[in-house]
Amino acid sequence: MEYRFNNKKDFMEKLEALFKDGMRLKKMKIYMPHPEHDVEHLVEKYEKPSRLKFFTLVGGLTGCLTGFAFTTYTVFSWPLVTGGKPFISIPPFTVIAFELTILLGALFSFAGIMILARLPKISKMFAEEVHGNEYIIITDDAR
Amino acid sequence: MSSRTTETLEPGGHAHEHVSDPKAVKDQIEHDIYASVGKPRPLFWIALALSLGAVGIGAVCWAYQIYTGLGVAGITNPVGWGVYIVDFVFWVGIAHSGTLISAILFLFRAKFRSKFNRAAEAMTVFAVLTAGLFPLVHLGRVWFFYWLFPYPNQRLLWINFRSPLIWDVFAVSTYLTVSVVFWYIGLVPDIALARRLKQVKEGKIARVLYGIFSGGWSGSFREWQHYGQLYKYMAALAAPLVLSVHSVVSWDFAMGVVYGWHTTIFAPYFVAGAIFSGCAMVLTLVIPMRKIYRLEKYISIDDLEKLAKLLMFTGLIVGYAYIIELALAVYSGNVYEYEQFMYRMGGDYAWAYWTMMICNIGTPLLLFFRKLRRSIGFLFAISIPVNIGMWFERFNIIIISLAKDFDPYAFGLYTPSLIELGITLGSFGWFFTYYLGFTKTLPVLSVTELKEEVEHGH
């Protein structure tokens, strides 16, 4: 079955009815013209929320550790006192670690959406299928 | 949008009750915003020709400098950092308000951000690309630029991570990468829409490119769900990043023992200045864009007024920082520091100092008048002196401090050479060329976010 809606209210009512009826994301496709927090909250009552946050967390931690480990490694690969500073100079190394936390946090998050949303979808890059500004629910009725 | 919105809004009512036909409004938004994409008008070609001409002048100057040597620039002892470093700091600063608008205002849920974020993010990316040229221009042997990157030399010595210049490499390259990713994420759904534009005909290369860059985005719930999370986390990462980048740039100076540079207030002072200059640049870019592409319906005077308030607010912080800087010099009891500031105000470069003071403290004060704040022409007019003033701020900090340091026998004056000014002109051309290209190929407002706001009744 395919349902098309011009406004969010009717779409959400139908969606909620479908979920209450035991329908799950696995068996239906939902298309929206833009992100909708209300819809997310509704769906997340029945389904798991996005796991993207773990990618961000892992990326950030990796970046932070890499920043400190890398700078520390380099000073000990040839121990040479420069400017009378200690080998492990925490304040300057924090700057490097901070920037790498942000960099890897962002890149891992970006990789996260590619993996979780299965992007890029080459078959859909040039597809004629266009959803326009309607809210669409397509259910697989052979359940 | 207003014609399709019922006039009597019930306070506290739900969004969908306000807009009689949300789908029609969304279709209209798409139609209006994508109207700018496609075949340019003569005015565009003239602007592009001027920008490319400036790029050409800059390129010739740089080629001449590479061929002849760095001696063709005015930099010498004691002023070893000249206009190139001024330009670098200026352009990094311009970039900052883009991230402020896209990330920090997003986290604060400021509604007017959706009117500026796309253009401001584009500006950020192009400004960092421009800024990134200057450390290279400043190199005597530019073909060895990769010596800046962290890898060991032949004797297995690594670069010195205690050097602020290396922090700068990390900060600016992270900033460029994250800005590009952030901008691109916001663009993906809009690029996906561009695939079905009337202007982009079947089989044309533009269509193929839109297809590739859309990544096959279909607008499914799963995609939007991850997208929502991603956007939130990217904003949360970009917000501290933007504060760190100009802080790191300021430490290039503040870590040195040069009087006029060696100050603890530099980080916040630079960040505020960066956002101040960036807001001015957003006004410079958005006001003509709004007029040429007929976006008056979407970017209202109220929105521009909010940006003007931000400009005024950051301008006040900058003014405060100037005064604190002076106060610190006077109360420090340090003769060098004191002399440095006396020299700034009344020495060889006093004209540059007072240009900065008038442009950066004087002009934003005019924004206290509501009438001026709501006058489009005035906002555009004021954005230019602010840009000039902020360029001179960096000129004052860098050049005046170096011209007069500890030893009177080492004092010296610096005058930018024509080559340096030519490359500076080229950098403006380079920046505007990118920006002009952007306005013709990508939607200049975030269509997705404007549509989202229809449902929330704005």
Side-chain angles (χ1 to χ4, degrees), chain A residues 30 50 78 82 89 124 133, chain B residues 27 155 162 195 221 226:
Chain A
I30 307 171
S50 168
W78 189 316
T82 45
S89 309
K124 286 199 173 171
N133 283 319
Chain B
D27 288 342
R155 293 178 166 194
R162 298 181 195 93
R195 284 178 301 177
F221 173 77
H226 299 308

Side-chain angles (χ1 to χ4, degrees), chain B residues 155-229:
Chain B
R155 293 178 166 194
L156 296 177
L157 269 176
W158 287 82
I159 53 170
N160 184 5
F161 283 106
R162 298 181 195 93
S163 161
L165 299 182
I166 294 302
W167 307 346
D168 224 19
V169 173
F170 275 79
V172 174
S173 48
T174 299
Y175 191 38
L176 179 62
T177 315
V178 174
S179 301
V180 170
V181 173
F182 197 27
W183 187 45
Y184 179 62
I185 292 166
L187 269 170
V188 167
D190 285 4
I191 295 178
L193 287 179
R195 284 178 301 177
R196 59 184 158 95
L197 285 180
K198 277 200 297 289
Q199 303 97 301
V200 188
K201 295 202 180 65
E202 192 71 42
K204 272 205 171 176
I205 189 125
R207 183 114 168 188
V208 178
L209 288 176
Y210 283 130
I212 292 170
F213 283 103
S214 75
W217 184 269
S218 62
S220 72
F221 173 77
R222 275 291 185 212
E223 283 168 1
W224 287 122
Q225 190 190 22
H226 299 308
Y227 176 89
Q229 286 250 320

Side-chain angles (χ1 to χ4, degrees), chain B residues 1 11 114 129 176 282 327 447:
Chain B
M1 222 179 319
S114 63
L129 282 175
L176 179 62
V282 172
V447 175

Side-chain angles (χ1 to χ4, degrees), chain A residues 6 9 30 32 34 44 50 52 74 77-78 82 86-87 89 98-99 121 124-125 130 133 135, chain B residues 16 23 26-27 30 155 158 162 195-196 215 219-221 223-226 230 241 244 451 455:
Chain A
N6 274 348
K9 187 168 166 269
I30 307 171
M32 305 192 293
H34 48 79
E44 283 168 11
S50 168
L52 193 96
T74 62
S77 88
W78 189 316
T82 45
F87 283 126
S89 309
F98 176 83
E99 299 299 342
K121 285 192 190 86
K124 286 199 173 171
M125 277 182 188
V130 159
N133 283 319
Y135 296 89
Chain B
H16 46 257
K23 183 180 175 295
K26 289 175 196 172
D27 288 342
E30 256 178 48
R155 293 178 166 194
W158 287 82
R162 298 181 195 93
R195 284 178 301 177
R196 59 184 158 95
S220 72
F221 173 77
E223 283 168 1
W224 287 122
Q225 190 190 22
H226 299 308
L230 178 65
L241 174 66
S244 85
K451 282 188 202 165
E455 292 293 346

Side-chain angles (χ1 to χ4, degrees), chain B residues 316-429:
Chain B
L316 290 174
I317 301 177
V318 168
Y320 177 72
Y322 291 164
I323 294 162
I324 287 291
E325 213 184 9
L326 280 178
L328 283 174
V330 171
Y331 283 103
S332 65
N334 183 318
V335 285
Y336 299 102
E337 186 82 27
Y338 181 79
E339 265 307 307
Q340 172 60 236
F341 279 86
M342 287 297 134
Y343 180 64
R344 271 191 202 183
M345 284 190 288
D348 300 300
Y349 296 103
W351 57 274
Y353 183 80
W354 292 107
T355 305
M356 168 191 91
M357 288 303 251
I358 292 164
C359 290
N360 291 354
I361 301 191
T363 45
L365 292 181
L366 293 173
L367 292 172
F368 271 107
F369 298 101
R370 186 160 187 271
K371 243 204 174 123
L372 292 177
R373 221 163 49 215
R374 293 180 68 85
S375 149
I376 308 280
F378 179 78
L379 285 182
F380 182 71
I382 204 180
S383 70
I384 310 289
V386 169
N387 280 321
I388 295 172
M390 284 310 293
W391 191 86
F392 273 107
E393 179 195 300
R394 281 65 180 250
F395 183 90
N396 292 330
I397 291 171
I398 296 169
I399 281 134
I400 307 183
S401 305
L402 288 172
K404 197 178 187 190
D405 60 6
F406 307 93
D407 183 358
Y409 288 103
F411 291 175
L413 289 181
Y414 161 83
T415 318
S417 72
L418 280 178
I419 297 294
E420 285 173 297
L421 296 178
I423 292 178
T424 304
L425 179 71
S427 74
F428 279 87

Side-chain angles (χ1 to χ4, degrees), chain B residues 27-254:
Chain B
D27 288 342
Q28 185 65 34
I29 291 175
E30 256 178 48
H31 174 266
D32 291 350
I33 307 295
Y34 283 103
S36 70
V37 176
K39 208 163 191 179
R41 284 183 292 168
L43 185 66
F44 176 85
W45 293 116
I46 294 169
L48 190 68
L50 286 174
S51 303
L52 284 174
V55 174
I57 293 172
V60 169
C61 290
W62 192 10
Y64 177 67
Q65 180 187 293
I66 292 171
Y67 183 73
T68 320
L70 206 53
V72 297
I75 42 180
T76 175
N77 270 331
V79 183
W81 280 6
V83 161
Y84 296 149
I85 304 299
V86 174
D87 289 338
F88 168 72
V89 181
F90 174 77
W91 283 113
V92 177
I94 291 292
H96 275 55
S97 81
T99 319
L100 173 100
I101 289 172
S102 58
I104 297 181
L105 295 187
F106 174 80
L107 295 176
F108 282 106
R109 304 281 184 268
K111 296 261 157 46
F112 74 102
R113 107 179 237 291
S114 63
K115 312 296 165 60
F116 301 108
N117 74 323
R118 173 65 46 75
E121 284 166 34
M123 181 192 79
T124 295
V125 172
F126 305 147
V128 182
L129 282 175
T130 313
L133 288 179
F134 280 100
L136 304 183
V137 174
H138 187 74
L139 293 179
R141 292 177 292 168
V142 66
W143 49 95
F144 289 130
F145 74 96
Y146 56 86
W147 286 2
L148 282 164
F149 291 122
Y151 75 98
N153 65 12
Q154 291 98 320
R155 293 178 166 194
L156 296 177
L157 269 176
W158 287 82
I159 53 170
N160 184 5
F161 283 106
R162 298 181 195 93
S163 161
L165 299 182
I166 294 302
W167 307 346
D168 224 19
V169 173
F170 275 79
V172 174
S173 48
T174 299
Y175 191 38
L176 179 62
T177 315
V178 174
S179 301
V180 170
V181 173
F182 197 27
W183 187 45
Y184 179 62
I185 292 166
L187 269 170
V188 167
D190 285 4
I191 295 178
L193 287 179
R195 284 178 301 177
R196 59 184 158 95
L197 285 180
K198 277 200 297 289
Q199 303 97 301
V200 188
K201 295 202 180 65
E202 192 71 42
K204 272 205 171 176
I205 189 125
R207 183 114 168 188
V208 178
L209 288 176
Y210 283 130
I212 292 170
F213 283 103
S214 75
W217 184 269
S218 62
S220 72
F221 173 77
R222 275 291 185 212
E223 283 168 1
W224 287 122
Q225 190 190 22
H226 299 308
Y227 176 89
Q229 286 250 320
L230 178 65
Y231 209 85
K232 198 166 65 188
Y233 290 122
M234 286 300 289
L237 289 168
L241 174 66
V242 65
L243 301 181
S244 85
V245 174
H246 227 55
S247 300
V248 168
V249 171
S250 84
W251 293 334
D252 287 344
F253 306 102

